[in-house]
Amino acid sequence: MRVILVVLCLLGAQSAIAQNVVHCSPAQDVIVRAALDHAKSLAITAASAVGDTPDYARWFGTYSDRNAETARATLKSVVRAIRAGGVSLQCDTLRDQGCGNDEYAWVYADKPYHIYLCPSFFDMPVLASLRPGTRASDNGTREGTLIHELSHFRSAGGTEDHCYTRRDCMGMALQEPDLAIENADSYQYFTEDVIYYASQPVIGKASP
């Protein structure tokens, strides 16, 4: 009986963290679930890396305890959302609302945690597959994109899209840190940098 109870508990724990993936092909389903799992690990590491560092300054500007706590809380909220198993990911087409030629994913910020994935999402690189010197991740990664979208939800970070692209968002961090701390791309690039870019050259970043 004890063995049966243990098995039931384990099954219950697995179902509690199951995510909902809809309108995706079997191959896309595998990609999406892997990306979300990697996004969780990425956000955990990034939350612990928030501090008075060059990585923080590049994406959030001049360090302050208040803004650092906001960044840390937002990343922790992303982790909690994934761990709770309430994330729903839907594969969309270019004809669907929100999926234009330049979009990778989109959300309704007041409807957590449903993320619409555009066809171009599946063309994005996976962080672990990148190699030093490549510029393939200049527009982000699958994992980073999911963190970007999750941070938009009001119950997570409630972030906005004040800027896109690494160059524009680095400029915002220098000039307007209070906008950078509420910008979704800033969180995406920060989380990608503390993992991948820490060991290779990046424009505007000193070598480790």
Side-chain angles (χ1 to χ4, degrees):
M1 179 63 70
R2 182 175 300 172
V3 173
I4 294 175
L5 287 175
V6 170
V7 171
L8 288 175
C9 288
L10 289 174
L11 289 175
Q14 290 175 341
S15 62
I17 61 173
Q19 311 295 339
N20 186 34
V21 179
V22 296
H23 298 168
C24 297
S25 69
Q28 289 174 326
D29 186 288
V30 172
I31 290 172
V32 168
R33 292 181 188 277
L36 189 63
D37 187 55
H38 295 159
K40 180 185 68 176
S41 299
L42 195 63
I44 290 171
T45 301
S48 66
V50 172
D52 192 359
T53 66
D55 285 325
Y56 176 94
R58 186 165 61 260
W59 299 117
F60 299 118
T62 302
Y63 179 87
S64 73
D65 289 339
R66 178 176 62 86
N67 281 358
E69 182 53 37
T70 297
R72 196 175 295 111
T74 297
L75 291 166
K76 287 181 177 179
S77 293
V78 167
V79 174
R80 283 195 296 270
I82 299 173
R83 281 179 169 168
V87 178
S88 179
L89 301 117
Q90 177 176 325
C91 293
D92 274 2
T93 70
L94 289 178
R95 295 186 300 275
D96 292 321
Q97 180 181 355
C99 279
N101 291 325
D102 297 326
E103 281 74 37
Y104 299 107
W106 62 283
V107 301
Y108 290 111
D110 59 346
K111 296 182 179 179
Y113 290 100
H114 194 94
I115 302 175
Y116 299 87
L117 303 175
C118 301
S120 56
F121 173 84
F122 297 94
D123 296 327
M124 302 186 82
V126 177
L127 197 66
S129 71
L130 300 177
R131 295 294 178 266
T134 182
R135 300 264 57 89
S137 67
D138 280 353
N139 292 323
T141 62
R142 291 174 187 164
E143 302 96 326
T145 295
L146 293 181
I147 290 172
H148 172 120
E149 299 303 334
L150 284 166
S151 75
H152 275 318
F153 291 111
R154 304 280 186 255
S155 51
T159 61
E160 303 289 345
D161 289 320
H162 294 308
C163 69
Y164 293 106
T165 78
R166 285 179 168 268
R167 184 179 64 179
D168 288 350
C169 292
M170 279 192 285
M172 174 178 285
L174 286 172
Q175 299 174 14
E176 300 179 279
D178 285 340
L179 287 182
I181 201 65
E182 59 183 41
N183 183 63
D185 254 8
S186 302
Y187 286 90
Q188 174 175 341
Y189 297 143
F190 176 75
T191 57
E192 291 170 344
D193 274 18
V194 297
I195 301 296
Y196 174 64
Y197 284 108
S199 61
Q200 62 178 296
V202 176
I203 295 174
K205 178 178 179 179
S207 300

